[in-house]
Structures are given as structure tokens and as C-alpha cells.
Amino acid sequence: MVLGLRSAIRSDVGRRRTSNQDSGATSGRLLIVADGMGGHAHGEIASAMTVSAFTELEERLPRDLSDIDLNAELVATLEDATERLSRRAGTDPETRGMGTTIVSLLLTGEQLALAHIGDSRIYQLRNGELTRLTHDHTMVQQLVDQGQITAEEAAHHPRRSVLMRALSTDHAPEPDVDRIDIVEGDRYLLCSDGVTAVLDDDTLLRELNRDADPDEVVGRLVELANEGGGPDNITAIVADVVDPPDEASSPLRTAGAAAEITTAD
């Protein structure tokens, strides 16, 4: 069975930031969110360039992906993005040290290929049950894994945003990659930590479980994150698995920095 995606994307600067360093994109088979970091080192450039590398991958892949090693393609694209950032930093010293998180899903028809670095997240809603598909690459998550603090303590830890892994100019990427079997009716959320720093899993479950289309749900998530203080940039994608696929109604859409700046390197 060949399944499709019906998705919506929204990106917002939030209530406390003056610029949006998040980027995102959706198409009939690609979903990606990147949360840039680096402040004056131009995290928005890092996120936009990384999204651009992935949209170019989606455009050059054949329609039939049955003979393609998508995990290898995703890793190669992350390596390509890293090289782009390094070249940009080499010609523009102000951008040295820039980096980005990334979460992406690429549709094969019966599966989603997943790539993840950092603390942006992917959730799956299936039959009313919410499952987080990514594991944060943060210092506090490491402390949780080691049993030194609880998940509840991690949510309010003063260093909860300290990343152990990111895509940057400094080193080769260390992504988590996976393949996910999908069924019609699945709903997926990809989001930056501007969403999850404010909205807990119970709130995400309630909103994703609503009988509403992806555009309404993603708009509601951004609204709630801002109502909760909007401490960071907010970017979210909500995507439903549908049958039959309708790629003609799913052109490439970009959001955040990816829709605003030129990423030529």
C-alpha cells in the first residue's frame, strides 16, 4: 500500500525573541524542522541552509524509493549540510560557531525514514496514544538516562537547553536514524523546543487528538505556546497519513528563516 501525507507547518518568533532562527519545510513526502543556534553567530543561517540541503535531497530522489538506502541518504545529506555550514563560516567569520538541531521524516510510501540531532522532537499519535520517537541529545536527558534526576526535574532544570549533539561547523554530524512503519490515520508532530518547553505531553495529546485538520491543530499549538509565555521561537508541523496519497496538493512549503533568507553558500 502506498500512503501519503497531508501536512501543515507554522513558525512564529514567540514572545521574547526579536528574530526567528527556526526553519521548516513540508512537501508531499518531506517534513523537516531545524532550530538554529548561535545568537550573533547566525543560527537562522544554519537552520535555513540545513533545510535547503534536505529539500534538494527530496527534489533529486526518484519517485520510486524501493531501491534507495534512505538512511544512508539522510546521513549523507546531514554531512552535506555540515560542509555547507563550514564553507559559509570559512568565508564569513561572523557565522563561525553557528549550528542547528534537526528532525526530519521522509516518506517511502509504507514507511517514514527518520533523522534526528538535538532537542527538537517527533511525536506519533496512533489510536489515541502519543509516543515520542526521538530522544533528546541534551545534558539533562543524559542525567535522566543515568538516573541522576527525574523527567519532571529535567523539565525545569536550569541547563535543560544545553545540547550534547547538534549539526554545526565544529564536527561531523552524529544523527539518530530510523525507519518507522506507518498506517493510515497516524498523526505526526515535528517541533522545535519552543513548543515542548511550554506544552507538556498531556497537552500535546489533547490537541493532536482533536478531530481537526493539520492546519487547525498546528495553529492551535503555536497559539498555546505563545499563551504560555512564548520564551523561544516556535515551529511545528502536523502531518496525517492518508490513503490515497495526494502529492499534487502538497507543494513544497517553507517557514521561518528558510522562507525569509537566501542560503547560497
Side-chain angles (χ1 to χ4, degrees), residues 63-82:
R63 221 16 94 182
D64 182 1
L65 299 176
S66 58
D67 295 325
I68 303 295
D69 184 345
L70 281 181
N71 284 2
E73 291 286 347
L74 292 173
V75 171
T77 302
L78 290 167
E79 292 171 345
D80 175 39
T82 300

Side-chain angles (χ1 to χ4, degrees), residues 176-247:
D176 292 341
V177 293
D178 201 359
R179 296 289 285 268
I180 303 159
D181 293 326
I182 58 175
V183 297
E184 183 183 3
D186 281 353
R187 173 166 281 182
Y188 291 87
L189 168 66
L190 292 76
C191 61
S192 63
D193 66 343
V195 174
T196 53
V198 179
L199 307 181
D200 61 20
D201 285 3
D202 289 340
T203 302
L204 296 178
L205 174 60
R206 183 191 71 220
E207 296 302 322
L208 291 170
N209 219 16
R210 294 173 63 205
D211 184 16
D213 64 31
D215 189 64
E216 182 177 342
V217 174
V218 79
R220 177 66 174 159
L221 291 174
V222 172
E223 179 183 1
L224 289 172
N226 271 322
E227 288 177 358
D232 202 349
N233 303 147
I234 305 160
T235 302
I237 294 170
V238 173
D240 291 342
V241 177
V242 296
D243 181 26
D246 185 14
E247 292 189 18

Side-chain angles (χ1 to χ4, degrees), residues 125-175:
L125 180 72
R126 177 177 290 174
N127 299 325
E129 181 177 343
L130 187 68
T131 303
R132 195 205 305 180
L133 301 181
T134 53
H135 196 70
D136 291 348
H137 300 143
T138 60
M139 185 187 74
V140 295
Q141 182 62 61
Q142 193 172 77
L143 295 175
V144 172
D145 295 343
Q146 295 169 350
Q148 297 186 40
I149 63 173
T150 66
E152 292 73 22
E153 290 169 334
H156 305 285
H157 196 283
R159 304 191 69 187
R160 61 186 176 273
S161 297
V162 176
L163 292 174
M164 304 301 290
R165 286 195 237 168
L167 192 150
S168 74
T169 61
D170 301 327
H171 50 75
E174 302 176 65

Side-chain angles (χ1 to χ4, degrees), residues 50-91:
T50 300
V51 165
S52 179
F54 272 76
T55 58
E56 290 172 23
L57 166 69
E58 193 272 343
E59 289 170 357
R60 69 174 177 266
L61 283 173
R63 221 16 94 182
D64 182 1
L65 299 176
S66 58
D67 295 325
I68 303 295
D69 184 345
L70 281 181
N71 284 2
E73 291 286 347
L74 292 173
V75 171
T77 302
L78 290 167
E79 292 171 345
D80 175 39
T82 300
E83 291 177 5
R84 296 183 189 202
L85 300 191
S86 297
R87 287 197 300 270
R88 180 62 176 263
T91 59

